[in-house]
Amino acid sequence: MTLAALPVIWLTQDFAQLLMMGICIVPDLFLLSVLFMALAPGASRDRQTKLVWAAFLGGLIWDLRWTNLPGLSAAVGGGVIGLACFIWYKTPPQGRGTAVFTAIAAICELLYAGIHFFFWTIPSQTAIRQLMVQQLIAVPVIIFFSWLFWKVSPDNG
C-alpha cells in the first residue's frame, strides 16, 4: 500500500461516517491503514516518520471536518502511530508477528477512541453506547488488517 492511497482511505472513512451518522461512529480506518503501512515488513524508519506526519495531517483534516476541538485527532493519531512504531522496534525481531501486530492495532484503536471519548460533549450514557458500538465494529476491521499483515509477512506459516 502506498502513501497515495491514504487520501482515498480517508475519504472512504469520511463517507462511511456520513452514512452511519446518528447510528454509530465508524472505526478509524485511516489510522489502522497508517498503522499497517508503518509496521508492515520492510517499512523503513523514514517511511514511518512520514506516516506519523500523515496520521497527524489526516487527524487535523478530520478535526476540521467533524469535531469541535481542532488538533485533538491530529495529536492523538500522530502520537498513537509514533508510540506503536516505538513499541514495534522495542519488540525483538522474532516476536514481530501477526499476534503482536493485532495486539498493537487493538490497543491503538482503543487508545484513540478512549481519548476521544474523554473529550466528547454528549451525555455519558449515549457516549458509552457510541464507544461500545464503535469498538465492536472495529473488531472485524482489526481482523482484516491482521490478516493483511499475515499475508505480507515473509514467515506467514
Side-chain angles (χ1 to χ4, degrees):
M1 200 180 304
T2 65
L3 290 174
L6 289 178
V8 174
I9 295 166
W10 189 94
L11 288 170
T12 302
Q13 178 180 332
D14 185 57
F15 185 67
Q17 185 60 56
L18 279 172
L19 292 176
M20 301 298 284
M21 205 146 165
I23 300 169
C24 70
I25 298 171
V26 297
D28 204 313
L29 302 172
F30 180 78
L31 183 79
L32 291 172
S33 298
V34 170
L35 180 71
F36 170 75
M37 292 169 67
L39 302 185
S44 67
R45 296 217 180 206
D46 182 51
R47 180 177 171 91
Q48 288 176 340
T49 302
K50 289 178 184 175
L51 288 166
V52 168
W53 282 107
F56 181 86
L57 182 62
L60 185 61
I61 296 169
W62 188 262
D63 286 338
L64 295 174
R65 169 81 167 99
W66 286 103
T67 64
N68 59 358
L69 189 57
L72 177 66
S73 296
V76 175
V80 163
I81 297 299
L83 179 64
C85 291
F86 175 77
I87 291 171
W88 188 253
Y89 277 103
K90 289 298 179 184
T91 305
Q94 301 84 358
R96 294 182 198 158
T98 307
V100 173
F101 174 82
T102 305
I104 289 174
I107 290 167
C108 285
E109 178 66 30
L110 278 170
L111 187 60
Y112 189 80
I115 291 172
H116 279 93
F117 172 76
F118 182 74
F119 286 100
W120 281 345
T121 57
I122 58 178
S124 62
Q125 190 174 20
T126 304
I128 289 173
R129 185 185 73 76
Q130 291 284 339
L131 180 68
M132 290 175 65
V133 170
Q134 179 189 26
Q135 295 310 302
L136 286 172
I137 295 172
V139 170
V141 176
I142 292 170
I143 290 171
F144 171 76
F145 279 105
S146 298
W147 173 80
L148 208 57
F149 184 86
W150 178 77
K151 291 298 277 183
V152 301
S153 291
D155 54 323
N156 62 357

